[in-house]
Amino acid sequence: MKKTSILALTLIGSLALGSASAQTSLKIASLSPLSGGQSDLGSQIKNGAQLAVNEYVPQFKKLGYDLSLTGYDDQADPATGTAAARKIAADTSILAVVGTLNSGVAIPSSAALAPSHVAMVSPANTANQVTDRGLKNMNRIVARDDAQGPAGANFMLTKLKAKSVYLLNDKTAYGEGLTAEVKKALLAKNAKISGDEGTEEKSDFSAIIQKIKLTKPDAIYFGGIYNQVGVFVKQLREAGVSIPLVGGDGLDSEQMVTIGGKGSDNVYYTTVAAPADALPAAKKVADAYSKAYGKDIQGFGIFGYDAAKVVLQGILLASKDNGNKLPSREQVETAMRKVRATGLLSGTVQFNSMGDRKAAKMYIMNISAGKFNLDSTLNVKSPVN
Amino acid sequence: MDFATLAPFLVGVIISGLVLGFVYAIIALGYTMVYGVLQLINFAHSEVFVTGAVVGFEIFRVLADNPMNGYLKLLIALIAAMAASGGLNVLIERLAYRPLRNAPRLVPLITAIGVSLILQDLIRIIEGFQGRFDLTYQLPQGFSTPFCGPESSCVSVGNFLSKIGISLQIKEVVMVLVALLSLAALNYLVNFTKLGRAIRAVAQDRVTAGLMGIDANGIISLTFLIGGALGGVSGVLFGLKFGTVNAYSGFDPGIIAFTAAVLGGIGSIPGAVLGGLVLGVIQNLIGVTNILGDALGIANLGVIDSSYQRIGGFLVLVLILIFKPTGLLGRSNVEKV
């Protein structure tokens, strides 16, 4: 497999050399949910990446490459994502991948891509395991759960003055991992955990809400995605509970307000994806986004854009290292770890030996009256450097 | 935890379980009606019910800015959902079940699952074209307010309930009323009208009923129409209670309602209702087992949190089927030779 792909790439490469005017097709892929309950976030990633590709097309053209992006759908499902990853591995014109949205999908997909050395840059995966497995092809530009969890916990303890917290998670790699980090940080500061449970329920939360009313916590932490948390918080408010709800970046979607309605007031979330107005450079991209897709750009759109830029600069670096010839997937994979990507909306990106971003920012957002407001900003560092 | 805090908590859990149970009960009626007449488990019923929920969503969406009375909107939504789901159910019967009526039992069962999958994707495509997946009910003002909350000065059951710490919303009261009304209507139709007698006759013996001058095919279509209309009502109630619905929302409540129908004795109308209520309450009780465990000092119960609430219902089903295989209110059916 490895040999054939390299052979195929060398063949394509030599063909490109043979006729200088002919454009060689060079593709990157995006892997995110484009259908199903989380398609709102997944499409943001793909569209953001597409904007970055559009910017780089002329530059690649000069080098003789016809650059394009192919969007793959993982439906937020690990099995579907892995199948898509195998398809990507089989298409030898794809040099690298932007994706995925869900950590639970990233973990098996990156493993499926590893043998063929397809580099992956994640715009969204926060689970520790994503990079802790030490895969050479897996990188991410967002902060890890062991940064996001404590940020959420500290926010509840200091800003919200919560003494007891009810913990909920959605039983996925993302939700469970994140909530475990929150719990660890809360226990370290001697906060009371008034309940801790996982639920895959999507519509009926009445039993949990009854328990919350009984145990009277000061805040609720829900490690989950907006399509579940939105329904939960709506029912919670209808039952007369108005305490703050804190979550992770899974809540970072306008759909949170659509589903939660008035219930989404007094909701906070930590996110690694910056709000467009917190990033001065984002204005131009935000305008391009709403012009192209008729929707406002959200956090994951920005990070999809940034991750694609890292990927493209990595490929350019690999190409330069290869004497301006088409680099192999392996060369791209190596270059990705040492690239110093600039001109991004979220600042310069450099990866450590694990594939984590050396320094990342974390934002705490607040939803009130249907609007998303920036509450505070934190600098977080990767535990390994 | 003392008794004074635990008692209203338990009552609250049981009440919310009953409200949930009414939704299951009405879905279960759809299964039981069709089974009673055709001995066919209409697995597509969960999608028929989602269709009702989707139609209800569309009505509330279109009427969102209309200043008309909220209850009138609900009435329109209910009627439209009943018409759509009932019509769909008749169509399903005509296209997918009637041609197979004399085939072995397993064949229509598999068709039913096939129809169910087709409908799921159809709903997803239709709503997906408009860029929607999770359909959020835009309820008229007032539906989500507490049922005579603490601020209001009225002396009522609602006020009394909220005083002792039990919250009930107007929409939940409306839901239960709608459920009870449709139940009463169904009961009257089946037991006290000529049409009902015809339905019962066809259920007993299709061929003989035909010889007595009853148009069996017509009656079967009518049963599907009624079953589907009940599905439409339950779809709107589901949307009213939970707020969101999507193309795949039908699966879970469908399975639970089917369980409720079997638990109550499939084919029995009061059985379906009883089964639904029992399952609703059991689910909610299992969901709070860890709190009860804490309160009673039984440490091992602490592990049973709300993620086990579905399993609880099935566990009860298994127990009932072991000790009373016909279900709670079911009569044993003498095999016709």
Side-chain angles (χ1 to χ4, degrees):
Chain A
M1 178 68 216
K2 189 173 105 187
K3 270 190 184 151
T4 41
S5 65
I6 292 173
L7 191 68
L9 280 174
T10 350
L11 269 177
I12 296 170
S14 50
L15 277 175
L17 272 183
S19 51
S21 61
Q23 300 275 313
T24 311
S25 140
L26 189 162
K27 285 196 268 187
I28 68 168
S30 72
L31 182 59
S32 58
L34 302 178
S35 63
Q38 298 174 22
S39 54
D40 185 47
L41 299 182
S43 312
Q44 285 269 338
I45 290 177
K46 185 194 159 208
N47 295 344
Q50 183 66 54
L51 287 183
V53 165
N54 294 349
E55 270 180 38
Y56 274 75
V57 163
Q59 201 174 338
F60 273 79
K61 197 151 238 160
K62 266 188 237 150
L63 293 171
Y65 305 128
D66 192 9
L67 174 69
S68 65
L69 173 90
T70 315
Y72 286 83
D73 185 7
D74 64 29
Q75 295 176 7
D77 171 51
T80 316
T82 313
R86 295 216 175 89
K87 269 188 232 160
I88 292 173
D91 182 349
T92 44
S93 58
I94 296 175
L95 289 189
V97 179
V98 174
T100 66
L101 172 67
N102 303 78
S103 297
V105 181
I107 293 165
S109 314
S110 56
L113 288 172
S116 20
H117 300 282
V118 182
M120 210 165 158
V121 176
S122 161
N125 305 139
T126 58
N128 299 342
Q129 258 181 299
V130 170
T131 49
D132 278 356
R133 295 165 302 151
L135 286 183
K136 272 171 77 182
N137 64 329
M138 186 76 224
N139 312 285
R140 66 172 139 204
I141 61 170
V142 294
R144 303 154 50 99
D145 276 353
D146 45 17
Q148 180 166 204
N154 286 333
F155 174 76
M156 287 189 283
L157 295 173
T158 53
K159 271 265 179 86
L160 300 177
K161 309 253 181 281
K163 294 203 169 55
S164 69
V165 178
Y166 203 101
L167 298 173
L168 289 166
N169 71 71
D170 63 0
K171 307 202 89 169
T172 65
Y174 164 73
E176 259 179 354
L178 180 58
T179 314
E181 293 294 339
V182 172
K183 188 177 181 180
K184 221 192 289 172
L186 285 175
L187 289 176
K189 297 265 171 73
N190 292 322
K192 194 180 152 229
I193 309 289
S194 74
D196 178 13
E197 57 190 309
T199 177
E200 287 172 320
E201 182 63 59
K202 288 275 159 65
S203 48
D204 171 39
F205 294 98
S206 48
I208 295 173
I209 290 172
Q210 295 282 357
K211 283 195 271 191
I212 290 173
K213 287 177 96 170
L214 183 75
T215 53
K216 295 198 179 69
D218 301 321
I220 299 167
Y221 191 91
F222 200 146
I225 308 284
Y226 65 88
N227 62 343
Q228 186 189 26
V229 184
V231 179
F232 167 75
V233 81
K234 185 185 164 99
Q235 290 179 25
L236 182 77
R237 302 300 190 225
E238 282 175 0
V241 183
S242 56
I243 56 171
L245 180 137
V246 184
D249 50 355
L251 308 191
D252 192 357
S253 161
E254 278 168 4
Q255 284 288 311
M256 182 69 199
V257 176
T258 315
I259 296 174
K262 281 197 193 118
S264 49
D265 277 9
N266 207 12
V267 167
Y268 297 84
Y269 60 86
T270 52
T271 178
V272 285
D277 35 338
L279 300 169
K283 180 92 177 67
K284 216 178 85 199
V285 180
D287 288 346
Y289 191 98
S290 45
K291 211 173 129 202
Y293 303 107
K295 277 184 184 167
D296 285 344
I297 196 166
Q298 295 170 46
F300 286 106
I302 291 176
F303 269 64
Y305 173 86
D306 272 6
K309 271 195 151 177
V310 174
V311 161
L312 295 171
Q313 293 186 22
I315 294 176
L316 286 177
L317 177 67
S319 163
K320 208 175 107 198
D321 288 353
N322 198 28
N324 285 332
K325 281 181 281 185
L326 186 72
S328 69
R329 281 174 165 180
E330 220 164 348
Q331 284 165 330
V332 171
E333 183 185 62
T334 318
M336 212 62 81
R337 278 284 153 90
K338 53 179 197 186
V339 75
R340 188 173 180 280
T342 54
L344 310 184
L345 298 180
S346 64
T348 307
V349 166
Q350 264 186 301
F351 295 117
N352 65 10
S353 56
M354 313 268 295
D356 280 326
R357 187 171 176 169
K358 275 188 178 160
K361 271 208 173 78
M362 183 125 249
Y363 305 87
I364 294 172
M365 302 289 294
N366 167 236
I367 306 178
S368 78
K371 294 254 167 21
F372 293 76
N373 309 303
L374 179 65
D375 187 279
S376 44
T377 311
L378 299 166
N379 284 312
V380 289
K381 276 203 157 177
S382 169
V384 194
N385 258 316
Chain B
M1 212 161 291
D2 56 344
F3 181 74
T5 43
L6 210 56
F9 168 68
L10 269 183
V11 176
V13 169
I14 289 170
I15 287 180
S16 69
L18 284 174
V19 173
L20 181 67
F22 273 108
V23 181
Y24 293 154
I26 303 236
I27 310 173
L29 279 177
Y31 281 106
T32 239
M33 280 287 286
V34 167
Y35 185 86
V37 171
L38 275 188
Q39 272 79 51
L40 163 82
I41 292 162
N42 181 12
F43 268 117
H45 190 68
S46 47
E47 275 61 49
V48 169
F49 134 82
V50 171
T51 307
V54 171
V55 169
F57 159 80
E58 292 291 347
I59 298 285
F60 279 120
R61 187 178 66 83
V62 171
L63 297 181
D65 298 325
N66 196 304
M68 79 171 73
N69 185 302
Y71 292 95
L72 193 61
K73 287 184 191 174
L74 177 64
L75 190 69
I76 297 174
L78 280 171
I79 292 172
M82 281 169 82
S85 296
L88 178 67
N89 217 20
V90 171
L91 201 69
I92 293 172
E93 192 272 333
R94 184 72 194 81
L95 297 178
Y97 301 151
R98 193 176 297 182
L100 298 167
R101 201 171 288 159
N102 296 318
R105 279 257 186 111
L106 214 54
V107 177
L109 184 74
I110 291 166
T111 323
I113 294 172
V115 169
S116 160
L117 294 177
I118 291 171
L119 286 177
Q120 276 180 5
D121 284 333
L122 265 182
I123 295 169
R124 181 173 144 192
I125 288 171
I126 292 170
E127 287 300 324
F129 270 133
Q130 296 152 79
R132 289 193 283 265
F133 183 81
D134 286 300
L135 310 175
T136 308
Y137 266 55
Q138 300 173 346
L139 289 185
Q141 283 287 316
F143 269 74
S144 296
T145 47
F147 179 60
C148 198
E151 312 83 69
S152 61
S153 55
C154 59
V155 183
S156 68
V157 184
N159 211 5
F160 172 71
L161 285 178
S162 63
K163 272 234 172 67
I164 60 170
I166 294 162
S167 67
L168 210 55
Q169 294 149 36
I170 287 196
K171 65 176 187 186
E172 291 180 323
V173 177
V174 170
M175 260 177 58
V176 173
L177 286 180
V178 171
L180 285 173
L181 262 176
S182 26
L183 229 158
L186 180 69
N187 197 42
Y188 176 77
L189 181 86
V190 172
N191 289 321
F192 299 99
T193 62
K194 213 171 159 187
L195 204 67
R197 199 184 299 157
I199 292 177
R200 281 178 290 146
V202 172
Q204 246 174 24
D205 189 331
R206 197 158 60 227
V207 179
T208 316
L211 292 175
M212 301 295 134
I214 295 171
D215 170 14
N217 274 337
I219 293 294
I220 288 171
S221 289
L222 194 75
T223 313
F224 272 83
L225 182 73
I226 297 169
L230 284 168
V233 173
S234 51
V236 175
L237 295 188
F238 181 89
L240 207 59
K241 169 127 178 73
F242 300 129
T244 33
V245 67
N246 65 46
Y248 304 104
S249 298
F251 185 77
D252 280 352
I255 290 282
I256 295 168
F258 170 62
T259 312
V262 176
L263 180 68
I266 191 148
S268 152
I269 289 174
V273 177
L274 183 67
L277 295 181
V278 166
L279 277 191
V281 172
I282 286 179
Q283 265 198 22
N284 268 20
L285 282 176
I286 301 234
V288 300
T289 304
N290 51 353
I291 293 279
L292 297 181
D294 282 352
L296 302 172
I298 310 170
N300 292 340
L301 284 184
V303 260
I304 306 177
D305 61 19
S306 61
S307 46
Y308 291 91
Q309 54 183 32
R310 289 288 158 78
I311 298 170
F314 294 114
L315 207 66
V316 172
L317 177 72
V318 170
L319 287 177
I320 292 282
L321 290 182
I322 289 173
F323 294 108
K324 194 170 185 306
T326 52
L328 289 173
L329 299 181
R331 279 179 300 240
S332 60
N333 216 354
V334 182
E335 193 66 40
K336 283 169 276 190
V337 187

